[in-house]
Amino acid sequence: MSKKEAIPPGWSYNPASWGQRLPIVIAAMVGFAIAAYMALFQFKVIDTVWEPFFGDGSRKILTSKTSQILPIPDAALGALGYLVDALAGVIGGVRRWRTMPWIVIAFGLAVGPLGFVSVLLVVLQPVLYDSWCTLCLSTALISVVMIGPAMDEMLASLQYMKRVKDANVSMWKAFWGYKEVQGKVL
Amino acid sequence: MWAQIINAVLGIWLMASAAILGYSDVKIITDNEHIVGPIVASFAIISWWEATRVVRLYNVLPGLWLLLAPWVLGYDNGLATTNSMVAGALITGLSFVKGKVEETYGGGWSAIWKSDTLHAREARKQPRTDLEG
């Protein structure tokens, strides 16, 4: 199959190409590594946490009440979130916007809340604890940067779902990428 | 896109300005800037990409709020008031700068619910694909 056929109708490029997806996957892996490192500190596997700018900031933030609001420390949850994003970014081929919309839409939905929670935590650091945490700010930046590039692919999948609906093809089957509906709608 | 880069920098500036301009002992001003700053920076960064450029408009509200905040919250610091007003005016104004959009996106976000959109028309023109995934 030619490369051109992977481009969604009415688009000038393919948002599911590897050139589009790999940067997001790499960003998610970096986010995972940083969050995992902070989680190790929260699990007390390591005694100190790297903080170049804000003195005791990282320690204060990572041991704060907010960080322990859930049964597992927040950095561990963050690490899990980045891992899900990386996996959802890597699964499927360059036509996945129509062959497996579920993963593209799940990917788009996973990136959104992760970014939202990261920004919320960035707001809470100075407001509640009067300190900043360099690595927390870095992971928040990564999760915000991932939102934009993940959304174009989701848009292509949602437009495909709209065409499926208009063609009276089963949206359920198209969403999960059933073989029998493949190619029925472009 | 340059406008949204400036807005991202302005958002980050708001996170740091209380410490740099020396009014970080005034809790209400500092908190306000520490809340609005990350929000502005996030919306601006998301709108760096063409497909989500529309998100830049979400910064109109925080921008206008920065213009009002010194009076609503009763700032008693001239420097903080000036900072809030200038940042607010710039953020609001720059939110409306769309910049270049060079790619096409099948009709964009509204094409998910509207009919007779670019992606639907283009799909009708093209031959059906084979059953291969």
Side-chain angles (χ1 to χ4, degrees), chain A residues 1 5 9-13 95 99 119 123 126-127 145 148-149 151-152 155 158-159 162-163 182-184 186, chain B residues 15 27 34-35 42 49 51-52 103-106 108-109 112-114 118-119 122-123 126 128-131 133:
Chain A
M1 270 193 162
E5 268 182 71
W11 285 59
S12 52
Y13 71 103
R95 273 171 291 272
T99 57
V119 175
V123 168
V127 173
V145 164
M151 286 305 143
D152 60 350
L155 176 60
L158 291 173
Q159 289 178 351
K162 165 72 174 157
R163 294 195 296 279
Q182 288 300 312
K184 279 195 174 171
L186 195 72
Chain B
M15 293 164 75
K27 182 86 173 142
H34 285 162
I35 293 168
S42 301
W49 284 270
T52 43
E103 307 286 345
T104 50
Y105 296 86
W109 293 95
I112 296 169
W113 59 86
K114 282 185 185 158
L118 180 61
H119 68 92
E122 287 297 318
Q126 288 176 32
R128 289 271 179 84
T129 48
D130 53 67
L131 288 167

Side-chain angles (χ1 to χ4, degrees), chain A residues 144-158:
Chain A
V144 169
V145 164
M146 282 166 54
I147 296 177
M151 286 305 143
D152 60 350
E153 207 185 348
M154 187 160 91
L155 176 60
S157 273
L158 291 173

